[in-house]
Every structure is written in C-alpha cells, then in structure tokens.
C-alpha cells in the first residue's frame, strides 16, 4: 500500500463558521489549538449552528496578531475582530447537544454584531481554559475532554473517500462540507473506517467512532445555499443503522505538533 500522508489541517475557531487551513498545528488536551473554542448561543444558552442557520457558512474566520477576526465572504467590509484573550468574566451555562458547559461571553459589541447578522439575539461565548467537557463515556478511554465540537476532539477523512463520493455526484463537492480537522491522501475510499490506532507524525490517535452526518453537509460553504446532496447519494452506500457515516472521530493519546506532509502510520487495524 502506498504511504498515507497528511494533506490538510483545518481548524474552525468559532463553531459552525468558516474554517482555517494550516500547515502545522498544536494538538492540545481539548483538540487542535483554537479549534471550536468559541460558539454562538441563543438567549437560553443553546448552541447555534448551520444546521438551522445556513448563512453562518458565509462568515470567514481568521486569526493573527493575537486577534480573531470574522468577515462576510461576499462583503469583506462587514467584519469584526477581538482579542483571543477577551471575555467579560461573566460565566454562562451553555448547551451543546446533551452536554451543559460553562462559557464566557466575549463582549457585548461582538454579540451585537452577530445578532445583527442573524437578525435575532445571540451571544458569542468562549470556553474557559478550566472547563472540562467530557467525551461520551461510551467511547472515552481516559476521561478525555473536548471543546465545543459536536462530540470528539478531532475528525479525520481520507481524500479518497471524497473522490469516491464525487464520482457518484453530478456536481462534485469540496471537502469543506464535512469540516474535517485532518485530511490524508493514499489508500482506498473509507480506509479510515478500518483504523484502530495510528500515528500522525509523532502523535498517536485512536479512531473511536464513525462520524454520523446530518443536513449540514448539504450546505455549500461558499454560497450558504442548501441542496439535497451529498446526503441523498451517501444514503445509498454509507448508511449504517439508519445513520449516514463519513469520516472517523478521533481521540489523541498525547500532545504535540502536527504538520502537513506527516505520515499517517496505522499501528492496529479494526477486525
């Protein structure tokens, strides 16, 4: 088998907004540095995503000079920025799926900017360094923690898996629909399904659970428009127990630096 090589590293600093491609990234306890450390919530503290608010795809995030900035993909002058360290100090209780976590509002002006964009009242919150949101105990092995990501610190997809899907689609789609942290080249489509433990560079990972996909993958990340695909096509060949699977959720066994070009070296395969 040809070598499996890491071809993309992506982080999504604000949950459900545009991602950032990196050449190298620091893997921390909760996942990649800055990944899903911020999130939009409504007045009840419930998390907000593209699943209902497709237009969030149009907001691009960037990090630089100690600041996080957000701008509209079609109207870059529509933008806001704030310090990575900024928060009001006021603790809020927020809900992500079945989890409740503690969060801090960034500041009122930033929340107002997002409220104006979405046309209803929201807050932008960040996860405190001290917050310990646990990974689902059915899959955790050592009380691992996670950011505001849906459930796991990292997501891996093989480029071959997307290429195989695109061969079945009339209009090919981009990998950004699936919002992976890691993409690798080499191997057959969905070879990642059979990973058990593996290294990316020097860091060891466990593939713990296939990623169940939802309506979010039908949203074009460049236009914010929703369609039928690729959910409809994937349902024909990637359905397991009424869920459509694409990619692998990961837990990491150690911290470290990951770089594009690192070898993805499988240690143990699933039976």
């Amino acid at each position: 088998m040809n070598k499996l090589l890491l071809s993309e590293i992506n982080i999504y600093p604000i949950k459900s907004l545009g991602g950032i491609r990196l050449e190298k990234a620091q893997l921390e306890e909760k996942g990649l540095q800055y990944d899903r450390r911020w999130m939009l919530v409504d007045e009840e503290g419930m998390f907000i995503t593209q699943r209902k608010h497709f237009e969030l795809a149009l907001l691009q995030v960037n990090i630089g000079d100690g600041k996080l900035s957000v701008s509209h993909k079609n109207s870059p002058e529509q933008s806001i920025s704030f310090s990575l360290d900024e928060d009001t100090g006021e603790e809020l209780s927020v809900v992500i799926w079945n989890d409740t976590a503690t969060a801090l509002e960034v500041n009122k002006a930033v929340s107002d900017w997002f409220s104006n964009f979405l046309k209803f009242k929201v807050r932008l919150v960040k996860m405190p360094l001290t917050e310990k949101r646990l990974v689902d105990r059915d899959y955790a092995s050592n009380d691992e923690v996670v950011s505001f990501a849906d459930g796991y610190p990292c997501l891996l997809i093989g480029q071959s898996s997307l290429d195989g899907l695109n061969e079945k689609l009339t209009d090919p789609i981009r990998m950004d629909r699936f919002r992976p942290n890691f993409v690798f080249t080499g191997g057959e489509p969905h070879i990642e399904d059979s990973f058990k433990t593996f290294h990316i560079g020097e860091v060891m990972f466990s593939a713990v659970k296939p990623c169940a996909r939802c309506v979010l993958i039908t949203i074009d990340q460049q236009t914010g428009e929703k369609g039928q695909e690729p959910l409809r096509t994937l349902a024909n060949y990637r359905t397991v127990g009424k869920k459509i699977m694409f990619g692998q959720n990961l837990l990491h066994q150690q911290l470290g630096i990951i770089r594009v070009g690192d070898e993805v070296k499988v240690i143990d395969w699933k039976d």
Side-chain angles (χ1 to χ4, degrees):
M1 187 176 74
N2 57 344
K3 275 188 179 180
L4 310 178
L5 297 174
L6 193 67
S7 55
E8 284 183 33
I9 302 170
N10 300 287
I11 59 170
Y12 308 87
I14 302 178
K15 185 177 178 70
S16 233
L17 271 62
I20 302 172
R21 275 182 77 162
L22 302 172
E23 289 300 306
K24 68 173 185 177
Q26 175 74 44
L27 192 58
E28 301 177 337
E29 189 184 21
K30 293 182 174 90
L32 292 175
Q33 185 180 36
Y34 304 129
D35 188 47
R36 281 116 169 170
R37 299 301 199 274
W38 292 266
M39 177 173 74
L40 290 164
V41 297
D42 67 15
E43 289 188 278
E44 278 71 53
M46 182 65 66
F47 76 123
I48 288 168
T49 75
Q50 285 183 41
R51 290 172 184 86
K52 286 187 180 175
H53 305 283
F54 313 147
E55 64 271 33
L56 291 175
L58 296 174
L59 295 180
Q60 182 56 47
V61 179
N62 286 290
I63 290 177
D65 300 325
K67 290 193 167 188
L68 188 151
S69 59
V70 181
S71 58
H72 196 294
K73 288 178 180 176
N74 299 334
S75 314
E77 70 281 358
Q78 197 178 333
S79 66
I80 192 146
S81 67
F82 55 89
S83 166
L84 293 170
D85 301 326
E86 190 165 353
D87 64 72
T88 61
E90 180 195 348
E91 292 190 349
L92 305 170
S93 184
V94 298
V95 177
I96 316 110
W97 300 114
N98 297 322
D99 293 341
T100 301
T102 298
L104 301 165
E105 186 173 14
V106 172
N107 74 43
K108 187 177 183 304
V110 170
S111 294
D112 287 348
W113 187 89
F114 281 104
S115 298
N116 289 334
F117 175 79
L118 286 166
K119 299 185 171 52
F120 66 95
K121 193 163 174 51
V122 297
R123 290 176 171 181
L124 183 72
V125 300
K126 69 183 286 191
M127 180 174 274
L129 293 173
T130 53
E131 178 62 14
K132 301 284 186 189
R133 179 184 168 219
L134 293 172
V135 168
D136 185 338
R137 289 187 184 278
D138 290 343
Y139 298 96
S141 58
N142 196 27
D143 287 338
E144 287 91 351
V145 294
V146 61
S147 63
F148 290 137
D150 279 347
Y152 299 88
C154 296
L155 174 67
L156 173 81
I157 299 177
Q159 182 64 44
S160 299
S161 304
L162 179 68
D163 295 346
L165 167 61
N166 276 334
E167 286 172 10
K168 298 174 173 64
L169 295 174
T170 308
D171 299 310
I173 61 167
R174 293 165 49 145
M175 184 65 89
D176 59 9
R177 298 270 189 123
F178 297 98
R179 303 175 72 77
N181 294 111
F182 303 124
V183 180
F184 66 92
T185 57
E188 298 296 311
H190 309 291
I191 190 174
E192 61 270 23
D193 288 354
S194 54
F195 292 3
K196 189 173 181 183
T197 55
F198 62 98
H199 281 103
I200 300 179
E202 301 299 313
V203 180
M204 187 165 146
F205 291 85
S206 303
V208 291
K209 184 178 182 289
C211 186
R213 311 313 308 214
C214 67
V215 68
L216 199 149
I217 66 171
T218 64
I219 301 161
D220 186 316
Q221 295 297 297
Q222 275 60 57
T223 65
E225 292 171 358
K226 183 181 178 300
Q228 298 293 317
E229 295 291 5
L231 216 49
R232 186 164 57 184
T233 295
L234 282 171
N236 295 327
Y237 74 106
R238 293 294 299 171
T239 300
V240 181
K242 296 186 179 176
K243 291 184 176 178
I244 296 166
M245 303 299 191
F246 198 91
Q248 279 289 322
N249 288 303
L250 310 180
L251 295 176
H252 48 289
Q253 317 281 329
Q254 61 211 99
L255 311 183
I257 302 283
I258 305 239
R259 293 177 175 83
V260 168
D262 280 349
E263 185 174 357
V264 178
K265 202 163 187 179
V266 181
I267 302 162
D268 290 311
W269 299 86
K270 289 176 182 167
D271 297 333

